[in-house]
Amino acid sequence: MSAGRIGCMTTPAQGSRIPEGALYACDNSKFGSDGKGRYWPGAEAWFAWLSRTIERYGPDRCLWAPAPDQPFDAAGTLTESLPWLARIRELGVPAAFAAQDGCDQPGLLPWDSFDVIFLAGSTEWKLGAVAERLAREAKARGKGVHMGRVNSRSRLGIAEWFGCDSADGTYLAYGPDKNLPKLLKWLDELDGNPSLLGGAPPFGSHGAAPSATRLLEPCRRPSPHPGSHAPAVPPAGRARARPR
């Protein structure tokens, strides 16, 4: 984490400390580890937690925070997210918008209101042609791109190909000693591949060494609250992806 290749994904359900100097992102638990949003605390409690977290760890280390969404429901996500995107920006961090199945329909992506597009939705959708097109459009507009639920080398490669800046998943959480060397090897392999999209990432690398893709890991102690995501990493030096 100190090298900036792996960051922390934190959520309202975790209640644990982000390591000193680590980059972090603040997810909202609307999907959660159970895929049903069981750990979502409600909008006001979520925003209070987000405000406290950013105040404690600083906005300069925060990669982004997604507005509340409705998993797999593009129209519902737009309705739920719109009131919060500006408020997230007012905290001094990039506001992320969760792209869901069907969000490519006219009027369902408020491009001017967010800074990072979070490729959420179903597995089929987020790995498909529409998500790829939206990721490339986001990069062309100067936005960041994040992919959620990335738990394999092949999926991390797809995120990289889409031009994602970061990705997250739970691969590392279920065997850190064994899986960390594998994750770092994946990143080394991606670092050695030519990138489809060049240029600096839309949000800063905060002094981290150049890296193809940044992974965000769950920042939590073992606890009875599994409501967090695993690895996520932001790209440094070029457009890349993070696991959700």
Side-chain angles (χ1 to χ4, degrees):
M1 287 185 179
S2 62
R5 307 189 77 193
I6 298 178
C8 289
M9 179 80 91
T10 187
T11 76
Q14 289 175 335
S16 58
R17 185 175 60 84
I18 294 170
E20 183 176 355
L23 301 176
Y24 69 97
C26 297
D27 206 355
N28 57 35
S29 292
K30 287 289 283 185
F31 183 78
S33 60
D34 63 345
K36 299 178 181 179
R38 175 183 174 187
Y39 302 102
W40 166 244
E44 294 298 337
W46 155 75
F47 193 74
W49 164 82
L50 178 63
S51 301
R52 291 193 306 270
T53 300
I54 293 171
E55 181 178 4
R56 179 177 182 182
Y57 297 107
D60 57 322
R61 290 164 54 195
C62 183
L63 297 169
W64 40 261
D69 59 303
Q70 287 289 341
F72 315 112
D73 182 346
T77 291
L78 179 65
T79 298
E80 188 152 357
S81 291
L82 276 179
W84 297 101
L85 292 167
R87 294 185 65 180
I88 293 172
R89 284 175 165 177
E90 289 171 359
L91 296 176
V93 302
F97 181 82
Q100 314 283 356
D101 307 50
C103 71
D104 55 317
Q105 296 302 310
L108 294 184
L109 279 173
W111 287 106
D112 292 338
S113 298
F114 65 83
D115 309 295
V116 177
I117 190 168
F118 190 132
L119 299 179
S122 67
T123 298
E124 295 74 15
W125 183 85
K126 78 170 58 185
L127 301 181
V130 172
E132 179 180 3
R133 176 175 60 78
L134 292 177
R136 303 210 189 288
E137 181 175 354
K139 301 305 294 186
R141 289 173 175 262
K143 311 286 184 181
V145 184
H146 176 84
M147 182 181 286
R149 303 198 307 279
V150 174
N151 292 305
S152 67
R153 170 62 177 83
S154 61
R155 193 168 296 187
L156 189 62
I158 292 171
E160 169 75 4
W161 173 253
F162 283 11
C164 292
D165 298 291
S166 62
D168 74 83
T170 52
Y171 181 79
L172 188 57
Y174 294 105
D177 292 340
K178 177 181 179 181
N179 292 333
L180 179 58
K182 294 181 180 180
L183 278 178
L184 294 176
K185 181 181 179 181
W186 296 349
L187 294 176
D188 287 340
E189 292 171 353
L190 292 175
D191 276 346
N193 292 338
S195 179
L196 179 65
L197 299 174
F203 34 78
S205 60
H206 304 285
S211 168
T213 302
R214 288 183 187 160
L215 301 174
L216 296 177
E217 298 298 326
C219 289
R220 63 185 176 90
R221 302 179 297 270
S223 75
H225 302 292
S228 65
H229 298 292
V233 172
R238 52 179 170 167
R240 298 301 172 86
R242 310 165 198 172
R244 185 193 192 196

